[in-house]
Amino acid sequence: MPSPLSADRPAARPPGGAPVDTLISQTRRLKGEVDAVRRDTPADAGDPRERWRRALYDLAMHQLDDLDEHLAQLREDPPPAPGASAEELPAPPAPPHASLLSRVGSAEWDLLTDEVSWSGELYRILGRDPAAPPLTLDELPSLVLDEDRPRLTEMVTGCLVDGRPIDGEFRVMHAADDIRTVHMMGEPVLGADGSTVSMWAVLRDVSELRRCRRAVSETRDSLHRHRHAAARSEHRLAVELQEAVLPAWHGSLRFPRRGPRALDVAAAQLPPTTQASVGGGWYEALELSADATLLGVGELTGHGVTAASGVAMLLGAVRGMALSGAAPGPLLDCLDRLLGTTAQPALAGAVCLRYRHDTRTAVWARAGHPAPLLYRGRTGRALEAPQGAPLGAAPGSGHGQAEETLEVGDLLLLHTDGLVPGHTGAAAVHRLLALAPRFAGGRSAQTCVQEVVREFGAGERAEHACVLVARIAS
């Protein structure tokens, strides 16, 4: 196996300079384009993402600089051979500080004659005086940091004894405590009888390359930590906003709050089984007067703070319009127009029901949402749904109303889609109506909500889901 004469001194000019000139032109054009993009990148030290992008651009520029220099070396005449004496061979110029791979040297150790030859650049890489003799393989570890010596010894032994190629790194100490990282590649040269007669190696100073790669890695890790912290903060903010907006009550509520109980209400929100961010599900039970109560559930598209703030806006509008006397249909029409005026248009589904205690009548409307379910005795059915497109989907289309007369003991169930894991539409309604016999034995709305949670709470659910139960008490 032939050994290279010198890795930092090409043996001959490549045939024809035109292909190399073309490669040099392409490299320099690419350098200019990358540098232009790099200059346009904001140098914001406080933004982890910009620091990471800047480090990647710097690394790319360093590597293009090295490619440019290596291609230029291919085009030039070779300098004097490394066999010249220290007096005849001037010290090579120091490579540019920004260069990553331009510092390349070579060496060969002849095991038969004990002759050692180093290229001139190898002296600079290893921090040796060019006037000093090259080091033998036994002396080479003396230049290496203590903790890296076993690694170098293992690589050299494996090459000489087992014929394994060398490919590894070690660190050397230069003057003024300057630690450099050296990458070494080499192979044994075999004699006619198959035994190792010499070993050659190419060594590169990769200190700047490793520094740039560490910078990229550190800025990438910093960016990941920043994004993770931002996601946690956003999730916490969305949860706090949702908790502040949704009704702050647990257990059953009675309406009216003063006087004989006419309506018994309970609700729950079922979380997703995955690590999903806060969704746009909501529920509401609001006393409008001594004779009327508003019930509603809905969901807004989106997640996180955007969805939670959207729910806050919708619920505020629902409460305000309901207290002003708006019926469910016109109320949903107003919500539809409201969503169309927001900076970030979204879709929403909702069902609103206005119950009058004195007449036991429920007037309701829906916007692209499952209809309320009515349970009477041990059976149940979905109320006949009026027309109503999702909010934000067809502005101006209008939302119809329906009216239902209820009886004492009847139970209404309002829910968001996704309450029944793995089922939507008619299939989900069928599963919910099957709970009618269990609801018949329930003494309160809270007991019925617990039955729903017991039946469907443990299933796999990708989104938050809401359920509200109202029992006609008198």
Side-chain angles (χ1 to χ4, degrees):
M1 181 181 301
S3 63
L5 178 64
S6 175
D8 57 332
R9 293 170 172 77
R13 180 190 299 272
V20 176
D21 288 336
T22 301
L23 290 175
I24 291 174
S25 298
Q26 292 173 346
T27 300
R28 292 176 179 175
R29 183 167 58 251
L30 180 58
K31 282 172 55 180
E33 293 172 354
V34 173
D35 188 47
V37 176
R38 181 180 63 167
R39 287 197 304 269
D40 291 338
T41 302
D44 185 359
D47 187 341
R49 183 171 181 270
E50 295 302 332
R51 291 202 306 269
W52 169 71
R53 292 179 61 190
R54 188 80 184 185
L56 278 178
Y57 282 131
D58 289 343
L59 177 59
M61 284 299 299
H62 282 311
Q63 293 175 326
L64 288 173
D65 284 339
D66 285 324
L67 177 60
D68 185 12
E69 184 172 341
H70 286 225
L71 290 174
Q73 290 176 0
L74 285 174
R75 189 178 56 183
E76 297 169 356
D77 289 326
S85 66
E87 291 77 14
E88 298 171 344
L89 182 62
H97 177 71
S99 177
L100 296 181
L101 302 177
S102 58
R103 304 186 64 178
V104 182
S106 63
E108 184 168 3
W109 292 270
D110 192 315
L111 305 182
L112 301 181
T113 64
D114 292 332
E115 181 181 355
V116 181
S117 60
W118 281 14
S119 68
E121 185 60 28
L122 186 56
Y123 281 90
R124 184 186 301 276
I125 293 173
L126 298 180
R128 292 276 292 171
D129 183 354
L135 299 182
T136 66
L137 289 175
D138 292 332
E139 298 169 332
L140 186 61
S142 64
L143 300 179
V144 179
L145 296 186
D146 292 344
E147 52 267 36
D148 291 352
R149 287 178 185 175
R151 184 185 314 150
L152 176 61
T153 301
E154 180 182 1
M155 289 191 299
V156 172
T157 302
C159 181
L160 297 179
V161 177
D162 301 325
R164 294 197 304 264
I166 292 177
D167 188 354
E169 295 181 2
F170 54 85
R171 292 166 299 166
V172 297
M173 176 72 76
H174 283 202
D177 295 332
D178 181 19
I179 298 178
R180 310 298 294 179
T181 301
V182 178
H183 181 250
M184 182 177 185
M185 296 181 65
E187 292 185 358
V189 178
L190 305 181
D193 59 354
S195 62
T196 302
V197 297
S198 66
M199 188 190 87
W200 64 266
V202 174
L203 295 92
R204 301 182 301 167
D205 186 337
V206 295
S207 305
E208 292 300 318
L209 175 62
R210 295 295 174 259
R211 182 192 61 78
C212 285
R213 287 183 175 174
R214 282 195 303 272
V216 170
S217 177
E218 290 169 359
T219 53
R220 182 184 63 242
D221 292 344
S222 175
L223 176 61
H224 288 168
R225 290 192 300 270
H226 176 78
R227 285 177 172 173
H228 186 60
R232 287 201 310 270
S233 298
E234 180 178 342
H235 179 75
R236 183 169 59 253
L237 177 60
V239 170
E240 293 173 353
L241 183 58
Q242 183 187 63
E243 292 175 346
V245 168
L246 292 182
W249 44 268
H250 302 282
S252 294
L253 281 183
R254 53 178 292 173
F255 294 98
R257 296 183 183 274
R258 295 181 177 86
R261 180 172 62 177
L263 198 61
D264 179 27
V265 179
Q269 184 181 64
L270 282 67
T273 53
T274 60
Q275 294 295 324
S277 57
V278 173
W282 58 270
Y283 58 86
E284 178 63 296
L286 178 66
E287 185 174 21
L288 303 177
S289 67
D291 296 324
T293 298
L294 172 74
L295 304 176
V297 298
E299 53 189 338
L300 184 72
T301 55
H303 296 87
V305 174
T306 300
S309 60
V311 168
M313 176 190 69
L314 282 181
L315 270 179
V318 166
R319 291 163 180 166
M321 287 186 287
L323 287 170
S324 68
L331 187 152
L332 291 180
D333 291 342
C334 290
L335 289 182
D336 196 21
R337 293 195 296 271
L338 176 63
L339 275 184
T341 64
T342 57
Q344 296 180 330
L347 296 178
V351 57
C352 290
L353 184 148
R354 188 184 185 101
Y355 176 71
R356 288 193 59 87
H357 307 160
D358 52 351
T359 61
R360 298 197 193 98
T361 55
V363 177
W364 67 283
R366 72 183 186 103
H369 201 80
L373 306 181
L374 171 60
Y375 298 83
R376 179 171 292 166
R378 300 179 66 84
T379 62
R381 64 180 175 88
L383 298 185
E384 186 174 348
Q387 67 174 5
L391 302 177
S397 60
H399 296 82
Q401 291 187 157
E403 183 173 330
E404 189 77 21
T405 300
L406 304 177
E407 300 176 1
V408 175
D410 283 355
L411 188 140
L412 288 171
L413 187 148
L414 285 63
H415 67 97
T416 58
D417 209 5
L419 176 63
V420 181
H423 297 81
T424 59
V429 169
H430 179 73
R431 295 286 303 276
L432 287 167
L433 292 177
L435 297 177
R438 291 156 67 174
F439 287 168
R443 295 184 301 275
S444 68
Q446 180 65 21
T447 302
C448 296
V449 168
Q450 290 170 352
E451 288 289 346
V452 174
V453 174
R454 187 178 298 113
E455 181 69 21
F456 304 118
E460 291 189 6
R461 182 178 295 100
E463 300 284 346
H464 289 77
C466 297
V467 57
L468 184 146
V469 172
R471 182 174 175 272
I472 310 303
S474 64

